[in-house]
Amino acid sequence: MDAYVTGATIRKLREAKKLTQAQLAEKLDVSDKAISKWETGKGLPDITLIEPLAAALGVSLMELLSGDKISNHNRAANMMRTVFYVCPVCGNVIPAAGQAAISCCGIPLPQLEPEEMSGEHMVPIESVEDEQFITLDHPMSKTHFISFIAWISGDRVELVKLYPEGNAQCRLHMRGHGYLYLYCNRHGLMRKRL
Ligand SMILES: [Fe+2]
């Protein structure tokens, strides 16, 4: 974790919760001076207070530590809103049905913003019976490779993991409308609406 907790986050969450420093202090059994110190960066809450602080502010521990307030409304509603998180250290791939506070290898992961597919990342699709074959003309070296290809429609995520020195190809079962995603370790997340 690059930040333990910042004063700005505590203040922002406290104000969103419409609590005064005194009210928050009372919930945590600390002085209002202590809250003021945390918020102005002149002190940090003791580690034993971090869970009660998250509870008092009405957020998860990860939200408090990452400083992101997350509000997902009915996150199961549509898989098309799937977002991806990729760990730059170990390559872990985490699809989520909505925004989340995710960390891996000790770092908070940002939600990836996809770009429109183009160039060598353009995906040719060949349909054979009920399957789609995808073969990309893209390097698959240890330093530049496609890490995954995924098909996202209203009710499913089909994700195929690819590996360096393997083939840049996969089979999918694409039905109806959706997004075809790919992730290149150098060029990032790309997608195409189909
Ligand atoms: Fe690439």
Side-chain angles (χ1 to χ4, degrees):
M1 218 55 65
D2 58 353
Y4 169 56
V5 62
T6 70
T9 297
I10 296 172
R11 167 161 288 168
K12 188 177 71 180
L13 293 170
R14 177 180 60 74
E15 288 174 351
K17 191 87 177 152
K18 298 196 168 36
L19 291 171
T20 63
Q21 290 186 339
Q23 286 167 328
L24 180 59
E26 200 190 319
K27 280 173 183 274
L28 298 171
D29 198 18
V30 298
S31 66
D32 22 336
K33 264 217 172 84
I35 308 281
S36 164
K37 279 186 183 165
W38 302 343
E39 291 187 356
T40 52
K42 294 189 182 108
L44 282 170
D46 184 80
I47 190 73
T48 59
L49 283 170
I50 205 75
E51 282 191 49
L53 178 60
L57 295 170
V59 295
S60 68
L61 197 51
M62 270 307 296
E63 286 175 280
L64 178 62
L65 297 181
S66 73
D68 286 327
K69 178 84 181 86
I70 291 166
S71 59
N72 285 313
H73 302 289
N74 191 5
R75 75 179 80 189
N78 193 342
M79 295 304 289
M80 293 269 248
R81 300 211 185 100
T82 295
V83 292
F84 291 96
Y85 298 82
V86 175
C87 176
V89 178
C90 72
N92 195 358
V93 178
I94 304 141
Q99 203 197 350
I102 288 176
S103 71
C104 188
C105 295
I107 29 176
L109 303 181
Q111 178 188 322
L112 298 177
E113 274 297 327
E115 283 173 37
E116 197 58 32
M117 261 181 209
S118 62
E120 65 179 355
H121 301 99
M122 202 65 201
V123 173
I125 303 164
E126 188 194 343
S127 288
V128 180
E129 293 177 1
D130 63 343
E131 289 186 321
Q132 280 71 42
F133 288 81
I134 285 163
T135 307
L136 276 129
D137 188 15
H138 185 279
M140 287 299 278
S141 68
K142 280 185 178 147
T143 53
H144 184 195
F145 62 97
I146 303 295
S147 163
F148 69 85
I149 296 176
W151 167 248
I152 310 278
S153 60
D155 65 353
R156 76 187 52 201
V157 173
E158 188 179 358
L159 191 146
V160 181
K161 187 79 184 78
L162 302 177
Y163 297 93
E165 293 173 355
N167 294 321
Q169 61 184 46
C170 72
R171 283 195 285 184
L172 294 169
H173 301 83
M174 294 155 58
R175 295 288 161 272
H177 295 287
Y179 288 105
L180 187 62
Y181 279 87
L182 73 76
Y183 183 79
C184 166
N185 74 318
R186 286 241 185 128
H187 300 106
L189 187 67
M190 280 159 251
R191 75 176 182 185
K192 181 182 166 65
R193 170 123 206 175
L194 293 166

